[in-house]
Amino acid sequence: MTYDAGHYDVIVIGAGHAGVEAAIASAKRGAKTLMLTLNLDMVAFMPCNPSIGGPAKGIVVREIDALGGAMGKVIDKTHIQMRLLNTRKGPAVRALRAQADKPLYIKEMKQILENQENLTLRQGMVEKLMVEDNQIKGVITETKAAYYAPTVIVTTGTFMRGKVIIGDLAYESGPNNQRTSVTLSEHLEELGIEMVRFKTGTPMRVNSHTIDYSKTEIQPGEEEPRSFSYETTEFITDQIPCWLTYTNEETHRIINENLGLSAMYSGMIKGTGPRYCPSIEDKVVRFNDKPRHQIFLEPEGRDTEEVYVQGLSTSLPEYVQNEMMKTVPGLENAEIMRAGYAIEYDSVVPTQLWPTLETKQISGLFTAGQINGTSGYEEAAGQGLMAGINAAAKALNLETLILDRSQGYIGVMIDDLVTKGTGEPYRLLTSRAEFRLMLRHDNADLRLTEIGHQIGTISDERYERFLEKKRRIEEEKNRLEKTILKAEEDVQAVVKESGGSPLKEAVRATDLLRRPEMNYDLIAKVAPSDAHLPADVTEQVEIQVKYYGYIKKALEQIERMRKMETKTIPEDIDYDDIHGLATEARDRLKAVCPLSVGQASRVSGVNPSDVSILLVYIEQGKIARVSGE
């Protein structure tokens, strides 16, 4: 017998990285939001590596922040180390990566949730969804509490029918020996949601006191203050280093001799694992020509001695893990505090979702995070943010938000998932973005803050600061464009300092800045600004001036893409009625139900000839309707 436990606009199931962003975004849009989680002490828990960011992923964190999310602010307050990666490469692939203090990260995020207006945080296990006529009505917990809402977001991560596997040992569990959700997964299947089985894994954690760091290489953080959030003004300076070591031939011998005991190779694991985050067994087998593999020793926080052994993810039996680990320099006497393990879990086939992350089968039901087949905290958080924005929009009759592939890595990821699907845990890579020159670490605010303000997740005060930054960037670009530098002694000295060839005639300051060897600081020596410009302004001026030609070409490509995106496909289209479509294309289009010709062109199995046929059919349909009128 259930009882009425309350009525809400949006209910979020799960409080991992997707869940917290979904709940915060929903509440910020004004929706009365309820978050239900298995364990309030595990809010935004990091079950795998204790870090945030990295290539592509770090850019996602900045996009989340530009749209009003919390991940960037929290990691800025709780990290133990931060570095900017790929600094010797172009701006399109630079990204921040921070080592997290895991316990402190949880504490900080929980405080944000507890203090968020319109948000109720509650511990409870959801067992069933209330659905009538393919419309979500609410959820029912194991304690028979019935919570009602017109929209529900499922963000259960790896907890749905989770199974932990270590060697030949297997037991039902979520990450870190938490309770697993079985009934909800079965219920989703009953509702017609197609599920697949995926797998991920984690390495052992060892006691820092038992590591011989003298045999490893120190990996310090950067002294220069950096942040993910555009609102951060206070920076952590007392950073803690990580350490680098390597496997060797002896490590690989032990692994090869015990492959039959690994759940990966014994047949115990049925789910598909992530290609870009393989276990050490998988690396040794797939890259058998490599004599060693990198191992990073990553502290899990300031007030714990647990160290995450990045690179030794494994499902080998515990005694083999111990034997293998002791062959690694620095870990000869290390004591395992937590054994590594593999975990299998249920995921939703993401092509069942609209680009808003609402399911096609059930109106008002959204899914976000690892349940959609992704891998990584950042990918989960980005989806959660978008699901929260759009669930609130549906509940309150507000404007929905779909980011296209030119606006953010979040848009690239969601489009990939709902259009192409994924046969393995999906990870964001810079190579997935065709417009990556435009999707940079440094310009996420310029791309997305305007949108965040429009939908109500960015405050007026922050928006005013953003407009001031934009104004100063444009003014400085215009000033440099109008500044003529003559081939005089002081200018030639700066050119010589840069290593470039001497000027033969006067040039605009912008033309000189476009030289590969030149930078803004050198230009400022001969064309100083009267105003004191902050580093984030001068960085934008330099990038926008220096890469003007490339940016212009990218914008032209984006415009062509958007023309395809504006060619909408009628909701009542009958693909069986389109003669000439390849059978595979017809089947895939019927399964995905793309909203535009642009999206249809990205569906796996749809060729350019199929797109041409589809375009003709749609245009003829418009002509027929006009002539019929």
Side-chain angles (χ1 to χ4, degrees):
M1 185 75 178
T2 61
Y3 73 95
D4 188 332
H7 293 247
Y8 298 84
D9 298 314
V10 177
I11 296 173
V12 180
I13 304 173
H17 300 281
V20 296
E21 297 293 353
I24 292 168
S26 168
K28 279 189 170 183
R29 295 206 80 181
K32 186 182 178 185
T33 305
L34 170 68
M35 169 178 275
L36 291 165
T37 179
L38 291 172
N39 187 344
L40 284 174
D41 296 327
M42 302 291 284
V43 166
F45 177 66
M46 298 180 185
C48 201
N49 56 307
S51 67
I52 296 288
K57 292 169 176 279
I59 301 174
V60 168
V61 181
R62 287 211 135 191
E63 291 175 356
I64 291 168
D65 183 75
L67 288 169
M71 179 175 267
K73 298 180 183 67
V74 175
I75 192 61
D76 283 352
K77 287 185 178 180
T78 61
H79 68 270
I80 61 175
Q81 181 192 114
M82 190 175 291
R83 302 175 72 182
L84 182 64
L85 307 181
N86 298 328
T87 53
R88 296 182 181 179
K89 299 181 180 179
V93 293
R94 292 173 195 158
L96 276 178
R97 185 176 189 271
Q99 294 296 136
D101 186 320
K102 288 171 68 169
L104 193 57
Y105 189 93
I106 292 171
K107 180 182 178 181
E108 184 70 27
M109 188 66 82
K110 188 164 181 275
Q111 287 180 345
I112 288 176
L113 294 169
E114 290 171 340
N115 294 315
Q116 175 63 52
E117 187 180 358
N118 298 323
L119 177 58
T120 299
L121 185 59
R122 193 161 294 168
Q123 187 164 289
M125 163 89 78
V126 174
E127 288 196 332
K128 190 175 182 180
L129 305 177
M130 291 184 279
V131 179
E132 295 178 13
D133 298 324
N134 295 322
Q135 168 67 52
I136 199 77
K137 298 295 182 180
V139 304
I140 299 173
T141 70
E142 63 180 353
T143 58
K144 307 308 176 188
Y147 297 97
Y148 296 88
T151 59
V152 170
I153 309 172
V154 182
T155 68
T156 47
T158 60
F159 283 83
M160 290 215 302
R161 282 197 288 224
K163 180 190 287 187
V164 166
I165 305 168
I166 307 172
D168 60 358
L169 171 67
Y171 56 92
E172 287 189 353
S173 175
N176 209 43
N177 283 336
Q178 294 296 301
R179 296 179 67 195
T180 186
S181 176
V182 176
T183 308
L184 179 59
S185 185
E186 294 171 346
H187 184 56
L188 286 171
E189 287 184 323
E190 291 170 2
L191 292 171
I193 304 293
E194 184 184 354
M195 314 287 283
V196 291
R197 198 80 171 150
F198 278 167
K199 166 263 174 189
T200 189
T202 190
M204 67 286 292
R205 277 70 160 175
V206 301
N207 190 318
S208 179
H209 290 311
T210 63
I211 298 172
D212 184 352
Y213 289 108
S214 68
K215 295 182 179 180
T216 65
E217 302 170 28
I218 192 169
Q219 303 286 298
E222 285 186 34
E223 293 184 5
E224 184 176 343
R226 298 191 185 277
S227 64
F228 281 100
S229 175
Y230 291 91
E231 294 189 282
T232 296
T233 56
E234 296 181 4
F235 300 91
I236 294 172
T237 56
D238 57 330
Q239 301 191 62
I240 297 175
C242 295
W243 306 84
L244 173 64
T245 184
Y246 296 88
T247 62
N248 50 53
E249 291 182 359
E250 181 64 11
T251 319
H252 300 179
R253 181 189 66 77
I254 292 172
I255 292 169
N256 281 317
E257 288 180 356
N258 290 279
L259 275 180
L261 301 177
S262 168
M264 279 285 298
Y265 290 90
S266 67
M268 285 194 68
I269 293 179
K270 307 298 182 185
T272 304
R275 179 184 317 187
Y276 300 103
C277 189
S279 67
I280 187 62
E281 302 99 284
D282 208 16
K283 283 192 280 191
V284 167
V285 171
R286 285 166 53 188
F287 309 108
N288 56 23
D289 58 322
K290 292 188 177 294
R292 65 179 191 171
H293 294 285
Q294 287 184 329
I295 303 296
F296 288 97
L297 305 177
E298 304 177 348
E300 296 217 326
R302 296 180 186 275
D303 299 319
T304 176
E305 295 305 321
E306 287 192 66
V307 174
Y308 183 89
V309 187
Q310 173 75 273
L312 277 186
S313 177
T314 182
S315 61
L316 283 163
E318 189 172 316
Y319 73 91
V320 180
Q321 293 186 33
N322 196 59
E323 184 182 355
M324 166 185 69
M325 182 190 66
K326 290 185 181 300
T327 66
V328 177
L331 302 182
E332 294 91 344
N333 298 305
E335 295 177 1
I336 293 178
M337 298 178 71
R338 304 182 199 229
Y341 61 85
I343 184 168
E344 279 191 333
Y345 56 95
D346 285 350
S347 288
V348 167
V349 175
T351 51
Q352 298 170 103
L353 308 174
W354 297 114
T356 58
L357 296 180
E358 183 180 15
T359 61
K360 296 172 182 175
Q361 295 95 326
I362 301 170
S363 178
L365 177 63
F366 295 73
T367 60
Q370 281 192 264
I371 188 177
N372 287 344
T374 57
S375 171
Y377 312 139
E378 303 84 359
E379 289 90 340
Q383 291 173 70
L385 175 83
M386 299 304 292
I389 288 169
N390 289 317
K394 189 174 184 73
L396 303 179
N397 197 28
L398 302 172
E399 182 182 358
T400 58
L401 176 62
I402 299 172
L403 296 179
D404 68 39
R405 299 179 70 89
S406 70
Q407 292 175 298
Y409 274 97
I410 294 174
V412 171
M413 169 179 60
I414 293 176
D415 184 64
D416 280 349
L417 290 171
V418 304
T419 304
K420 302 174 183 177
T422 182
E424 62 186 54
Y426 175 99
R427 178 178 180 175
L428 264 174
L429 306 166
T430 54
S431 59
R432 295 190 190 274
E434 57 270 58
F435 305 117
R436 55 185 170 274
L437 178 59
M438 307 302 294
L439 309 182
R440 304 187 309 274
H441 151 89
D442 61 84
N443 71 348
D445 60 336
L446 299 176
R447 290 184 276 121
L448 298 172
T449 304
E450 182 89 36
I451 296 172
H453 184 252
Q454 288 173 357
I455 63 174
T457 55
I458 292 293
S459 68
D460 290 342
E461 181 184 2
R462 178 171 174 179
Y463 184 59
E464 288 302 319
R465 292 198 302 271
F466 162 74
L467 291 179
E468 175 65 10
K469 176 182 175 179
K470 279 186 68 176
R471 181 188 66 78
R472 298 180 83 174
I473 292 169
E474 291 306 313
E475 284 183 354
E476 181 63 359
K477 284 166 56 181
N478 290 335
R479 185 186 73 83
L480 292 179
E481 180 67 22
K482 295 174 182 176
T483 300
I484 305 298
L485 297 175
K486 297 179 181 179
E488 296 177 344
E489 185 176 344
D490 59 338
V491 176
Q492 296 288 26
V494 165
V495 172
K496 184 178 180 180
E497 183 180 348
S498 74
S501 55
L503 294 181
K504 295 180 180 179
E505 58 185 6
V507 297
R508 295 181 188 275
T510 48
D511 290 333
L512 187 58
L513 180 54
R514 289 191 182 105
R515 286 189 173 193
E517 68 277 3
M518 192 61 66
N519 60 49
Y520 179 87
D521 290 339
L522 289 172
I523 294 291
K525 290 183 176 183
V526 290
S529 170
D530 293 334
H532 176 69
L533 298 177
D536 60 342
V537 169
T538 60
E539 177 187 45
Q540 280 306 304
V541 171
E542 179 174 328
I543 290 173
Q544 291 182 27
V545 169
K546 191 176 285 290
Y547 295 95
Y548 171 76
Y550 297 104
I551 290 172
K552 183 180 179 183
K553 287 182 181 178
L555 290 172
E556 291 170 354
Q557 292 175 329
I558 289 169
E559 185 59 31
R560 289 194 292 270
M561 179 201 75
R562 285 189 173 153
K563 287 180 180 178
M564 292 285 280
E565 300 300 325
T566 58
K567 296 182 184 295
T568 58
I569 296 176
E571 290 183 14
D572 59 350
I573 192 169
D574 182 358
Y575 289 106
D576 289 326
D577 190 46
I578 305 177
H579 301 296
L581 274 183
T583 301
E584 182 184 6
R586 181 179 288 109
D587 292 342
R588 292 297 298 156
L589 289 168
K590 287 162 67 175
V592 174
C593 301
L595 300 178
S596 68
V597 174
Q599 187 186 1
S601 69
R602 297 188 294 274
V603 173
S604 300
V606 175
N607 297 315
S609 59
D610 299 310
V611 175
S612 297
I613 292 168
L614 178 61
L615 273 169
V616 171
Y617 179 85
I618 293 172
E619 291 300 322
Q620 287 178 342
K622 289 179 181 177
I623 293 169
R625 284 195 293 275
V626 171
S627 60
E629 293 170 358

